[in-house]
Amino acid sequence: MNDNERWVKPYGTAAEGAFQVSITDAVPGWAHTSLRVVTLAPGGQVDLGTGDGEVIVVPLRGGVEVTAVDHAGGHHKARLAGRESVFAGPTDVAYVPRGASVSVGNGAEGPATVALCGAKATKRAEPPPFRHVAAADVPVELRGAGTASREVRNFGVPQVLDADSIIACEVITPAGNWSSYPPHKHDEERDGVETELEEIYYFEVRAEPGAPDGADPVGYQRVYGTAERPIDVLAEVRTGDVVLVPHGWHGPAMAPPGYDLYYLNVMAGPGARRAWLICDDPAHSWVRQAWAGQDVDPRLPMGGPR
């Protein structure tokens, strides 16, 4: 039985208040991560209390002003320059710890769309500090090769951002390529081998230059399980859609010819250690060796609008 109805949230079906996308622990079976996406008109603002969670503010298009008051009463402010679109290169981000209040405002002349990536923050006795990570400090990794080439922007991984539990990054997959591949999972705590992390995929898609006005940018995402923990998702995704991965093998994420694919990943789990350790599906792990003689797709990295 297909599980799309439970774990796939097409744009508009997970809205709440000002947020066009709102994924929280109110979703049955969801416990550790959250994602809220809002578009702010000029002069618009959204306010949020982090409670027992932490948040990374990620501009998707446009820039925003972030102000926060932390658990100790400290005041913080960061102007996030943002970008023209998610395909225009990395963005600067702001990290807001648990026990804080945060406001995100748009002082620009045009609209701004921003994602608030969240996770329950219960691993550390003291929350990490508020932080503004500049776009220039976001490592850009070119992963895979050939038609499995993709670009990973690691703004919220343990080596870059001091946080309690959240792990977050962005992935760009050029038209015709496959990413999140070989299929892998991270749903068990196995010391040094695998960490238990649920994961959110938020998607955006665009047509390549020269596409006609009637083009319909689309991508695809696969999730499947084991005999002990079954799950079966094969989703057609468009801009604003979300796929939730509570467990199981996930991948590939597919960008059909003609359409570039973006996704924002948010991960966290119950383990004592904040780490992204994955296990490939053994039926497909051999594919990694096939990349050895292939070049990375010359379209990467994608650093500007087209």
Side-chain angles (χ1 to χ4, degrees):
M1 180 177 178
N2 185 275
D3 294 309
N4 282 25
E5 186 173 348
R6 182 175 185 185
W7 300 119
V8 179
K9 309 295 180 183
Y11 181 76
T13 65
E16 181 183 15
F19 298 104
Q20 302 101 277
V21 175
S22 180
I23 304 295
T24 68
D25 58 6
V27 175
W30 208 247
H32 303 287
T33 56
S34 65
L35 177 69
R36 297 173 173 91
V37 177
V38 62
T39 296
L40 298 172
Q45 178 175 301
V46 67
D47 303 314
L48 186 71
T50 59
D52 64 353
E54 58 192 345
V55 166
I56 304 176
V57 182
V58 182
L60 300 176
R61 59 188 51 80
V64 292
E65 192 90 30
V66 179
T67 58
V69 180
D70 65 27
H71 71 292
H75 289 252
H76 308 272
K77 190 175 229 181
R79 172 66 190 171
L80 303 185
R83 53 198 167 177
E84 184 175 335
S85 80
V86 295
F87 297 99
T91 181
D92 51 348
V93 304
Y95 171 79
V96 185
R98 73 172 186 263
S101 61
V102 59
S103 297
V104 180
N106 178 15
E109 296 181 358
T113 302
V114 61
L116 284 74
C117 310
K120 293 291 177 63
T122 58
K123 299 187 193 320
R124 292 165 57 165
E126 281 294 313
F130 177 95
R131 187 177 170 201
H132 178 195
V133 179
D137 294 330
V138 175
V140 175
E141 173 189 0
L142 301 186
R143 189 177 296 171
T147 57
S149 300
R150 60 271 203 186
E151 172 185 346
V152 185
R153 302 167 183 162
N154 288 309
F155 63 83
V157 300
Q159 300 86 346
V160 175
L161 180 69
D162 183 22
D164 182 288
S165 297
I166 194 168
I167 299 172
C169 65
E170 301 176 314
V171 179
I172 301 290
T173 309
N177 285 11
W178 300 47
S179 63
S180 198
Y181 196 74
H184 59 278
K185 73 179 185 71
H186 38 71
D187 59 12
E188 299 179 75
E189 285 292 327
R190 296 190 292 153
D191 190 33
V193 177
E194 186 177 355
T195 44
E196 182 181 353
L197 303 166
E198 65 180 22
E199 184 166 12
I200 298 171
Y201 278 71
Y202 165 84
F203 293 92
E204 296 204 8
V205 192
R206 72 169 182 182
E208 287 190 304
D213 291 341
D216 180 19
V218 65
Y220 296 88
Q221 174 71 39
R222 176 70 170 133
V223 185
Y224 59 99
T226 62
E228 297 77 19
R229 302 181 74 189
I231 184 172
D232 181 13
V233 170
L234 179 55
E236 186 175 271
V237 295
R238 291 174 171 82
T239 293
D241 292 354
V242 172
V243 174
L244 303 179
V245 184
H247 59 85
W249 310 105
H250 42 289
M254 295 161 268
Y259 304 116
D260 297 324
L261 180 68
Y262 162 95
Y263 51 87
L264 171 64
N265 285 147
V266 186
M267 294 172 274
R273 182 183 173 205
R274 178 181 174 234
W276 185 67
L277 299 178
I278 68 169
C279 176
D280 284 344
D281 182 339
H284 303 294
S285 60
W286 66 270
V287 172
R288 291 188 185 274
Q289 281 66 55
W291 299 338
Q294 301 179 43
D295 294 329
V296 174
D297 193 314
R299 292 174 291 179
L300 296 176
M302 289 189 180
R306 293 196 253 161

